[in-house]
Amino acid sequence: FHQHPVLLPWSNLLSLDLSFNKLEGPLPVVLQTPDIMCYQVSNNRLIGEIPPWLCYLNGLIVLDLSYNNLSGVLPQCLGNFSYGLLMLRVRGNKLSGNIPKTFMSGTSLRMIDLSDNLLQGSISRSLANCVDLEFLDLGNNQINDTFPFWLGALPELNVLVLQSNRLHGGIREPKSNCTFPKLRIIDLSNNRFTGKLPSRYFQCWKAMVFVNASQLTYMQDILPVFSPMNMREDVVGIYDYSLTMSNKGQMMAYEKIPYFLTSIILSGNKFDGEIPTSIANLKGLQVLNLSNNNLQGHIPSCLGNLINLESLDLSNNKLSGEIPRKLVELTFLGSFDISHNHLTAYAVRRLKDLTSYSLM
């Protein structure tokens, strides 16, 4: 591919996958294939803006433009050009502008990943129309907004990543009915949130109370394409959801996301007050990171009830008192960081079997 777009000649093309190559130039054009359902060109060196002709491919179920060098404004039409679109993934580019305000009722979207771009403005309220949405990643942008509590009405939302933006203000608690009923992973790190931790939300996130780790299944979609040659649906392949998040003191890339993975990452904000005891209800929780805030008071001993916890990071706060003895019951704990607080060491010898820990 060169600086001029390449027009692909196949008129019966239903699926195009050019991912993980060294292709350069603008996006390859598929205007002669109006029935195409999968357009995947991730992990190349493609440049230029997202062209208007993409919005005429109203039969798409997968659009993956991630990890290229695409620039310009994110087209508003991406929110409503295809009722059948399941996955929209443009992460890892240089796209700017606002999140589309055009996500429509009746959309089939299950996964939206706009992370690692230069998007600005607020979080589009039209996302509330995506009632089948399971995965939303808007991390590493320049979004300036408050916490989108209204996303809690989405009945299928499993993963919400808003880290490294300019989100601010307190996290508004649900007033009556619980929200975010299926949320298992939430990452709000490196923003400007203030106020108390959302204790009522910790009571509501029922999907983190019990996790069945005995059955290894992943967040993915099986992609069917109807073949006019044999009048039946053919399976094109399996599309795995992926995620990068903080775990055990480092950023970890999950090329596949296990359904049993549970995580609350609220680090790098300005939360204050005490750690609410309601968080101990989430017995299926595996990763808890509240580091780099202004939290005060004691570490609640009831955190020892988080029997599936593998990583606990409370570092760089203003916590005081003793390290609760009950934490020694966390037999799965592999990383424990309470450094840079005002704690008195206690039960340190019982933590010696940890993969890593820091009490400095």
Side-chain angles (χ1 to χ4, degrees):
F1 291 104
H2 303 289
Q3 296 301 314
H4 299 289
V6 173
L7 179 63
L8 299 182
W10 307 294
S11 59
N12 294 320
L13 194 65
L14 295 179
S15 177
L16 175 71
D17 191 349
L18 303 177
S19 305
F20 292 94
N21 282 288
K22 299 179 181 179
L23 305 178
E24 299 179 350
L27 294 177
V29 181
V30 290
L31 280 179
Q32 296 187 33
T33 56
D35 297 325
I36 189 169
M37 294 184 177
C38 298
Y39 185 96
Q40 302 175 73
V41 293
S42 68
N43 293 271
N44 281 288
R45 302 171 183 173
L46 301 173
I47 61 172
E49 298 184 357
I50 297 178
W53 57 258
L54 262 180
C55 295
Y56 293 99
L57 304 180
N58 54 18
L60 278 183
I61 58 175
V62 174
L63 177 59
D64 189 350
L65 312 179
S66 57
Y67 295 113
N68 282 288
N69 292 307
L70 301 175
S71 57
V73 174
L74 190 66
Q76 289 291 311
C77 65
L78 291 184
N80 61 6
F81 76 101
S82 172
Y83 276 102
L85 191 67
L86 300 178
M87 280 157 282
L88 172 61
R89 193 166 185 256
V90 298
R91 74 175 296 161
N93 284 285
K94 300 175 183 177
L95 298 167
S96 58
N98 295 327
I99 298 171
K101 294 178 170 57
T102 53
F103 292 101
M104 54 190 174
S105 298
T107 181
S108 302
L109 276 164
R110 296 177 193 165
M111 187 260 241
I112 299 176
D113 190 345
L114 311 181
S115 62
D116 296 307
N117 280 288
L118 303 171
L119 300 177
Q120 299 175 328
S122 60
I123 300 174
S124 172
R125 288 266 184 156
S126 68
L127 287 167
N129 292 324
C130 304
V131 295
D132 293 327
L133 196 63
E134 300 179 15
F135 179 104
L136 177 61
D137 190 346
L138 305 178
N140 280 301
N141 279 289
Q142 300 171 11
I143 299 168
N144 191 338
D145 203 348
T146 55
F147 179 70
F149 64 91
W150 41 269
L151 286 174
L154 296 178
E156 303 297 329
L157 191 62
N158 278 247
V159 177
L160 176 61
V161 180
L162 303 175
Q163 56 105 0
S164 299
N165 277 285
R166 298 173 182 173
L167 303 178
H168 56 272
I171 295 185
R172 177 176 168 182
E173 299 268 26
K175 292 183 178 180
S176 54
N177 296 332
C178 282
T179 55
F180 296 101
K182 290 191 176 182
L183 194 66
R184 298 181 297 106
I185 298 173
I186 181 168
D187 187 350
L188 306 181
S189 61
N190 300 313
N191 280 287
R192 302 169 185 174
F193 289 116
T194 57
K196 304 294 187 280
L197 292 173
S199 59
R200 180 161 171 75
Y201 274 125
F202 298 149
Q203 298 172 1
C204 288
W205 294 342
K206 303 299 184 183
M208 300 186 196
V209 174
F210 174 77
V211 176
N212 186 4
S214 62
Q215 295 182 349
L216 185 58
T217 55
Y218 297 98
M219 295 191 72
Q220 58 187 203
D221 271 305
I222 298 175
L223 307 178
V225 169
F226 182 77
S227 172
M229 300 297 293
N230 51 23
M231 302 302 292
R232 66 181 177 85
E233 281 191 349
D234 291 335
V235 174
V236 172
I238 294 176
Y239 192 103
D240 292 303
Y241 297 4
S242 61
L243 174 70
T244 299
M245 73 174 196
S246 174
N247 189 0
K248 299 181 180 178
Q250 59 184 334
M251 295 302 293
M252 297 182 63
Y254 292 85
E255 297 302 323
K256 295 182 177 182
I257 306 174
Y259 263 112
F260 62 74
L261 181 62
T262 53
S263 177
I264 296 176
I265 305 175
L266 306 179
S267 57
N269 285 285
K270 298 179 181 179
F271 291 115
D272 56 28
E274 299 186 350
I275 299 174
T277 57
S278 58
I279 203 168
N281 297 325
L282 308 178
K283 292 182 172 60
L285 190 62
Q286 295 172 318
V287 178
L288 176 60
N289 189 343
L290 305 178
S291 66
N292 293 284
N293 281 289
N294 295 314
L295 300 176
Q296 302 170 340
H298 294 205
I299 298 176
S301 61
C302 59
L303 292 186
N305 296 333
L306 300 176
I307 55 176
N308 289 290
L309 202 62
E310 299 178 7
S311 178
L312 175 61
D313 192 346
L314 306 177
S315 63
N316 289 286
N317 281 288
K318 300 175 182 178
L319 299 170
S320 58
E322 295 183 336
I323 304 169
R325 181 187 298 270
K326 195 171 177 61
L327 294 186
V328 302
E329 300 177 11
L330 301 178
T331 56
F332 288 104
L333 199 61
S335 178
F336 179 59
D337 190 349
I338 54 172
S339 62
H340 300 286
N341 279 286
H342 308 300
L343 298 161
T344 56
Y346 183 72
V348 176
R349 65 183 181 275
R350 303 190 184 190
L351 299 172
K352 64 183 180 180
D353 294 330
L354 289 174
T355 303
S356 66
Y357 62 89
S358 178
L359 309 175
M360 298 177 62

